[in-house]
Amino acid sequence: METIPSFRFFLLLLFGLIILFLVLYPLENFELLDCSVYKPWCISKNRIQAKSNLFSQTPRTKSIDHLTESPHHPLDPLTFQEINLVRAILSSYPPFASSSPSPSIHYVALDEPDKSIVLRWKKGDPLPPRKATVVALLNGQSHILTVCLESNQVAGHVTNPASGYPSLTVDDMAGVLNVTLANREVGRIITARGVDLSNVACIPLSTGWYGASEDGRRVLKVQCFSSHGTANFYMRPIEGLTVTVDVDAREIIHISNTGQGIPIPQAAGTDYRYQAQKKKPLHQQLNPISMEQPRGPSFSVEDGHIIKWANWEFHLKADQRAGVIVSRAMVWDSDRERLRSVMYKGFSSELFVPYMDPSDGWYFKTYMDAGEYGMGFTAMPLVPLNDCPRQSHYMDGVFVGPDGNPYVQSNMVCVFERYSGDIAWRHSESPITGMEIRESRPKVTLVVRMAASVGNYDYIIDWEFQTDGLIRIKVALSGMLMVKATAYQNLNQVAEQEYIAGTLVSENLIGVVHDHYVTFYLDMDIDGPDNSFVKMNLVKEETTPGESPRKSYLKVKRHVSKTEKDAQIKLKLYDPSEFHVVNPSRPSRVGNPVGYKIVPGGTAASLLDLDDPPQKRSAFTNNQIWVTPYNRSEQWASGLLAYQSKGDDTLAVWSARNRPIEDRDIVVWYTLGFHHIPCQEDFPIMPTVSSSFDLKPVNFFERNPILQAQPRFPKDLPVCRAADSA
Ligand SMILES: *[C@@H]1O[C@H](CO)[C@@H](O)[C@H](O)[C@H]1NC(C)=O
Ligand SMILES: *[C@@H]1O[C@H](CO)[C@@H](O)[C@H](O)[C@H]1NC(C)=O
């Protein structure tokens, strides 16, 4: 979502960041080569000695030449050259070749080879044939094409497979903003609200779907803000002005103007940039802090996409819709002396963000950020030292623009090791035992991070790998609230009983109550594709009179889900279960099936009516956990075409088929949920709020897998001392 003014600003920012990075990059290297730059800080011989090592081991973004890059792994994303080839093939494909207007390209990605082929493939083997999936729009019809890059042919072509349209392109958004800002009536309304037309910022908002009257054309809604006196125009809405635009006809359908009398909230205090803070911090600022890695990081990046760290190995790539995709996650088992499969593929499949205000300018705000905008599409370059620590490895996305040309989304993913002072395991013995045992191991993890800025909101998505086999998937929210302007300045002016849709977070500003649901696709392959989903239900048992001094205790009832309906899980505090994905044909030494469990977190559930149009479209949030049989065409929980979809191609629809899921290749879906009742601290920008869930080994290893982890001693780490006088 960009505004015309802020679109320019965004480009400037992007170039600025690139230049900044280019400027910072050699500086950082310089520091590594010559400690004198940071001399007061760095006095350790250790560190200086390690330097040459550090330099060669540091997995930084080498200046990858995207123009000549070639794929090395069956799952590697399409390269620049491959995307160009797709465009060339399409340009001579009859329905697309001479069409006018030319088709607009909304998504291009690798059409991944069949799982069995990928599983058989070994490094050094030739790559299986490369294919692309293309989602395009031509004359109002959605086309899904499979393009074969070996035979230079379109190998598959489906039109309008379900309701809905592909995600928005930058041209869709820019074009819609263009017609809005060029409209005289809109201009008159804005001027009448006291906003100068040179200070208007508008954003394109997806409309959801609310009935047949919206069928047959792509529609966007535009709302505008005053950018006068602040970079944070989101806090200055021109409330009540909603312009509905036909995206393809570039035509205004309707102008709704209900906000007369509602002032534009003030600019003062809204700017969040450091340079705009006039008051200096009252308390002492923190000293700079960073993690020491005197011998460099312990991970390596092979062929651009294979990450190897400690006992983990996985494939990592950026995706325009999902953001990042983690594939072929395998963990080394030192008892069995081999890499064991944990997850074939995992990614954030959809985000659903419904706002809780039924009024005209707000009811439609029920976004699906992955399918309508794209998590990779909206992922900006990460900010070194602030978004990701020093020694991070940055990865680019290679995506496609509406004209079919490839472009680079630079530094949108970072990979880094984290030591945050946590403990991996420990035990001390009390002197009573006569044993002086003090055993403790520090916890170090590996994080894969991206941050999508979908208009006002920022979603930070982390995949964190632990050496004990646990994977933590975390979503943190920041950015700006979507706020509603009001005539009220103080809560004492609001009549009792009046519903104001949220919290008064500042004068004339309501932070509207809303939810966030992030649904993850988790194709678990525990020691192979054929797995079962098991509920380990804790139930209360009562003792018989005289049996025990206890009246009650808990017992585990094991239930293997036979079909999909059996695995539609609504979490319940007073009827708890663990949720295991096991390989029934791989018992552990003592006979337990090896497995991983889904450990829920972020357990907010949607309370909307199941028949409410947005809930129907986002019915994948009706349960917190679903399990489906693996089907390569069921990956996007909101359906392949999410924009204005009616809900006929969602996870809920697939799951209703109630297919068998026992002892077969299954996919687990988990939804992290957040209810957000805004508060004043969320103004003018929100401190991050986060929730996470875990994939944790259960009876997967024969014992604690990090028993052999080394303790740390002072000699392992350089002594870095703050300067006496600096
Ligand atoms: C915006 O409108 C101007 C003038 O009407 C036109 O020249 C320009 O190409 C338009 N831009 C987009 C992105 O549609
Ligand atoms: C695979 O998914 C597609 C789309 O939902 C569906 O049409 C097809 O029937 C599914 N195949 C199986 C075997 O379930």
Side-chain angles (χ1 to χ4, degrees):
M1 300 199 258
E2 282 105 17
T3 62
I4 289 277
S6 79
F7 185 57
R8 253 182 260 129
F9 171 70
F10 157 64
L11 283 180
L12 273 175
L13 187 75
L14 192 66
F15 286 124
L17 280 172
I18 291 168
I19 289 164
L20 192 70
F21 191 68
L22 290 179
V23 169
L24 285 176
Y25 180 60
L27 252 183
E28 274 206 69
N29 284 342
F30 180 57
E31 172 220 339
L32 300 175
L33 290 171
D34 180 1
C35 216
S36 63
V37 174
Y38 282 82
K39 202 161 192 176
W41 223 91
C42 181
I43 55 160
S44 155
K45 282 205 177 85
N46 231 339
R47 176 161 172 153
I48 294 166
Q49 277 162 2
K51 242 180 287 153
S52 53
N53 241 345
L54 177 59
F55 190 60
S56 59
Q57 285 182 6
T58 304
R60 280 175 184 285
T61 303
K62 291 147 216 93
S63 50
I64 295 167
D65 188 353
H66 288 295
L67 294 176
T68 57
E69 198 183 3
S70 58
H72 301 281
H73 186 281
L75 298 176
D76 278 358
L78 295 177
T79 63
F80 244 67
Q81 289 181 352
E82 289 176 322
I83 292 172
N84 281 328
L85 181 56
V86 169
R87 192 168 42 89
I89 295 169
L90 288 183
S91 68
S92 59
Y93 178 60
F96 280 32
S98 53
S99 75
S100 169
S102 51
S104 87
I105 307 297
H106 292 249
Y107 179 73
V108 176
L110 177 76
D111 184 13
E112 294 184 357
D114 277 337
K115 198 163 169 174
S116 57
I117 296 174
V118 177
L119 293 177
R120 270 201 310 272
W121 185 87
K122 300 261 171 328
K123 194 175 160 124
D125 291 352
L127 286 184
R130 301 277 288 171
K131 287 192 244 167
T133 293
V134 178
V135 180
L137 202 76
L138 179 62
N139 301 321
Q141 313 296 311
S142 303
H143 296 260
I144 319 296
L145 303 112
T146 307
V147 179
C148 182
L149 301 179
E150 312 264 291
S151 60
N152 289 3
Q153 270 175 354
V154 174
H157 186 168
V158 186
T159 314
N160 303 326
S163 70
Y165 295 105
S167 56
L168 298 167
T169 66
V170 74
D171 284 359
D172 291 336
M173 300 190 225
V176 160
L177 295 176
N178 218 6
V179 275
T180 305
L181 287 165
N183 183 275
R184 283 226 191 95
E185 174 66 6
V186 172
R188 199 189 53 72
I189 293 168
I190 292 173
T191 316
R193 296 285 288 276
V195 178
D196 193 287
L197 288 178
S198 61
N199 290 326
V200 182
C202 299
I203 54 174
L205 304 172
S206 57
T207 51
W209 180 79
Y210 292 91
S213 65
E214 295 172 6
D215 281 349
R217 58 181 171 189
R218 292 197 302 146
V219 176
L220 256 174
K221 300 216 188 213
V222 177
Q223 292 190 335
C224 300
F225 303 79
S226 168
S227 59
H228 187 59
T230 181
N232 191 355
F233 59 86
Y234 297 106
M235 296 301 123
R236 307 201 69 199
I238 303 172
E239 194 59 47
L241 173 62
T242 308
V243 183
T244 307
V245 188
D246 181 320
V247 181
D248 294 299
R250 299 272 201 269
E251 218 171 67
I252 293 185
I253 301 169
H254 182 67
I255 300 173
S256 169
N257 178 25
T258 59
Q260 295 96 331
I262 300 180
I264 311 295
Q266 64 190 5
T270 60
D271 205 330
Y272 49 86
R273 293 170 303 170
Y274 189 66
Q275 71 202 57
Q277 308 311 312
K278 291 193 190 68
K279 264 197 204 158
K280 288 301 152 212
L282 292 177
H283 298 286
Q284 206 184 342
Q285 292 277 47
L286 296 176
N287 291 330
I289 188 166
S290 134
M291 190 181 70
E292 289 297 312
Q293 294 190 277
R295 290 192 227 157
S298 307
F299 66 94
S300 64
V301 182
E302 285 178 15
D303 294 333
H305 295 281
I306 299 286
I307 314 290
K308 291 185 177 176
W309 172 77
N311 44 353
W312 281 102
E313 179 176 330
F314 58 91
H315 185 274
L316 178 66
K317 65 179 164 186
D319 181 80
Q320 201 157 346
R321 181 164 175 174
V324 295
I325 297 178
V326 174
S327 302
R328 296 283 281 129
M330 296 181 285
V331 67
W332 179 262
D333 182 333
S334 45
D335 276 314
R336 292 175 173 77
E337 300 208 318
R338 59 182 175 84
L339 272 173
R340 296 172 63 193
S341 164
V342 174
M343 185 182 74
Y344 183 75
K345 187 174 181 181
F347 59 93
S348 50
S349 178
E350 191 51 277
L351 283 85
F352 173 44
V353 191
Y355 283 79
M356 304 302 166
D357 183 338
S359 68
D360 187 60
W362 280 80
Y363 75 90
F364 62 87
K365 296 183 180 178
T366 51
Y367 308 113
M368 296 202 288
D369 286 332
E372 293 177 338
Y373 295 96
M375 296 302 281
F377 172 69
T378 54
M380 303 295 136
L382 292 156
V383 185
L385 297 185
N386 293 278
D387 280 334
C388 314
R390 179 173 290 161
Q391 313 237 39
S392 291
H393 169 82
Y394 292 89
M395 191 183 273
D396 301 335
V398 173
F399 298 156
V400 64
D403 53 4
N405 282 313
Y407 69 92
V408 175
Q409 196 84 322
S410 66
N411 296 341
M412 62 160 274
V413 183
C414 69
V415 182
F416 59 91
E417 267 177 303
R418 169 149 69 198
Y419 169 60
S420 50
D422 285 343
I423 299 166
W425 63 260
R426 82 179 305 285
H427 183 64
S428 287
E429 271 304 335
S430 116
I432 296 172
T433 63
M435 300 166 78
E436 217 177 279
I437 295 180
R438 306 277 182 269
E439 288 280 337
S440 181
R441 304 290 181 273
K443 181 186 278 192
V444 178
T445 62
L446 183 82
V447 179
V448 171
R449 171 171 296 166
M450 62 153 286
S453 302
V454 193
N456 52 314
Y457 244 95
D458 293 66
Y459 295 93
I460 304 149
I461 300 185
D462 284 359
W463 287 80
E464 182 171 18
F465 295 81
Q466 295 188 179
T467 51
D468 61 6
L470 183 142
I471 306 175
R472 175 158 296 162
I473 298 149
K474 182 161 106 180
V475 176
L477 313 174
S478 189
M480 268 71 72
L481 287 173
M482 192 151 258
V483 289
K484 182 178 185 177
T486 171
Y488 300 125
Q489 298 235 323
N490 191 295
L491 206 55
N492 63 18
Q493 299 163 333
V494 183
E496 224 169 304
Q497 305 296 328
E498 190 187 344
Y499 181 64
I500 63 162
T503 310
L504 205 57
V505 293
S506 175
E507 287 77 8
N508 306 107
L509 271 188
I510 295 166
V512 176
V513 175
H514 59 280
D515 292 344
H516 299 266
Y517 299 99
V518 191
T519 299
F520 285 87
Y521 172 100
L522 306 160
D523 178 1
M524 305 301 289
D525 277 11
I526 308 297
D527 269 343
D530 290 344
N531 291 169
S532 293
F533 181 74
V534 182
K535 282 180 275 190
M536 303 289 276
N537 192 211
L538 283 165
V539 288
K540 186 177 80 174
E541 292 283 316
E542 282 170 18
T543 55
T544 51
E547 182 191 347
S548 160
R550 286 276 293 277
K551 275 180 80 75
S552 61
Y553 61 103
L554 299 188
K555 214 169 165 176
V556 179
K557 280 199 176 155
R558 192 170 183 274
H559 177 84
V560 180
S561 296
K562 306 278 181 219
T563 63
E564 289 178 282
K565 286 205 175 133
D566 226 5
Q568 297 177 350
I569 309 289
K570 288 183 169 64
L571 298 173
K572 298 186 191 106
L573 206 50
Y574 283 93
D575 180 13
S577 290
E578 281 197 358
F579 307 101
H580 294 193
V581 177
V582 301
N583 188 325
S585 46
R586 293 289 169 89
S588 69
R589 193 180 74 249
V590 297
N592 294 307
V594 298
Y596 257 69
K597 63 180 172 183
I598 320 296
V599 187
T603 53
S606 181
L607 305 177
L608 296 179
D609 198 296
L610 293 182
D611 288 329
D612 200 347
Q615 189 62 40
K616 259 182 135 152
R617 302 177 64 228
S618 298
F620 51 89
T621 61
N622 292 356
N623 297 300
Q624 287 73 58
I625 297 177
W626 312 71
V627 179
T628 56
Y630 173 81
N631 178 334
R632 47 180 288 136
S633 39
E634 295 176 352
Q635 300 209 32
W636 305 110
S638 55
L640 187 58
L641 304 169
Y643 201 89
Q644 279 174 267
S645 63
K646 300 176 188 175
D648 50 343
D649 183 28
T650 68
L651 168 57
V653 172
W654 315 329
S655 170
R657 293 188 192 127
N658 204 21
R659 294 161 288 190
I661 52 169
E662 187 183 0
D663 198 8
R664 33 188 97 202
D665 195 358
I666 53 175
V667 175
V668 177
W669 307 74
Y670 184 77
T671 297
L672 263 180
F674 302 75
H675 292 301
H676 190 172
I677 304 173
C679 60
Q680 289 174 214
E681 290 81 357
D682 295 335
F683 173 88
I685 189 164
M686 291 174 286
T688 51
V689 183
S690 66
S691 279
S692 59
F693 70 100
D694 295 339
L695 306 175
K696 186 176 190 301
V698 266
N699 308 320
F700 183 83
F701 296 107
E702 297 296 352
R703 57 179 61 79
N704 177 345
I706 48 170
L707 204 56
Q708 287 124 2
Q710 290 168 298
R712 286 286 160 234
F713 300 101
K715 69 173 171 54
D716 299 330
L717 288 161
V719 181
C720 283
R721 215 169 50 194
D724 300 332
S725 58

